[in-house]
Amino acid sequence: GVPANDPFGGSIYWRSLHPRGGGLPHGTIAELIERDFGTYEPFAESLRQAAAGQFGSGWAWVVLHGGRVKVTATSNADLPPDGQIPLLVIDVWEHAYYLDYQQRRAGYVAAVLGNLLNWEHANEQIENVDAQAQSAAAAQLSVARGVF
């Protein structure tokens, strides 16, 4: 259920899902969640609350901000603010879940967390951020050394 005016949110939404996804995270995202939330459960509860508590249509995002994993929500077709790098998103527009869950948004969110969330995509996004940061740092070092 992706609105036509939000191709970015929709694009990351479909990459945020995998038919054999969900469950406990693994890889770098698991390490960051443990560092930033203590354990998986406070992270999952934060994501459940962001998604289920979003008034009306919108998105619940897992973002990287300042090197830390955070959970946020946006309304309608809004994206996370600049500086927040989307890792995963849950679509909470009603048409994303109504046929299977009717008014039970919390059931839909639980199903996404338990069965569909694509941890590999989150890990790939983190790797991309790390590669870009390393490239930027190398470019800054070259400029500082006068090497172009």
Side-chain angles (χ1 to χ4, degrees):
V2 179
N5 65 339
D6 187 18
F8 179 79
S11 174
I12 195 169
Y13 172 65
W14 292 116
R15 289 178 283 162
S16 293
L17 305 177
H18 192 279
R20 292 179 302 280
L24 294 175
H26 56 275
T28 305
I29 187 68
E31 295 166 12
L32 294 177
I33 287 170
E34 186 172 324
R35 181 195 71 194
D36 297 337
F37 287 86
T39 64
Y40 171 74
E41 192 49 44
F43 162 81
E45 183 58 27
S46 180
L47 187 55
R48 279 192 289 271
Q49 287 180 6
Q54 174 60 42
F55 178 77
S57 299
W59 307 93
W61 301 89
V62 177
V63 299
L64 197 60
H65 185 233
R68 304 190 78 72
V69 172
K70 298 185 183 235
V71 172
T72 189
T74 59
S75 297
N76 301 315
D78 292 348
L79 301 174
D82 286 344
Q84 294 186 7
I85 300 157
L87 303 177
L88 297 167
V89 67
I90 298 177
D91 182 348
V92 292
W93 289 70
E94 188 177 77
H95 51 245
Y97 60 88
Y98 191 80
L99 288 177
D100 291 327
Y101 293 92
Q102 289 78 44
Q103 304 301 324
R104 298 182 320 271
R105 183 186 285 183
Y108 157 73
V109 171
V112 171
L113 275 166
N115 303 305
L116 295 171
L117 218 50
N118 187 351
W119 300 115
E120 282 305 315
H121 177 69
N123 286 322
E124 290 167 8
Q125 293 296 96
I126 293 166
E127 287 174 23
N128 289 341
V129 169
D130 287 346
Q132 289 172 0
Q134 289 172 6
S135 178
Q140 287 176 345
L141 186 58
S142 293
V143 169
R145 291 182 176 160
V147 178
F148 299 95

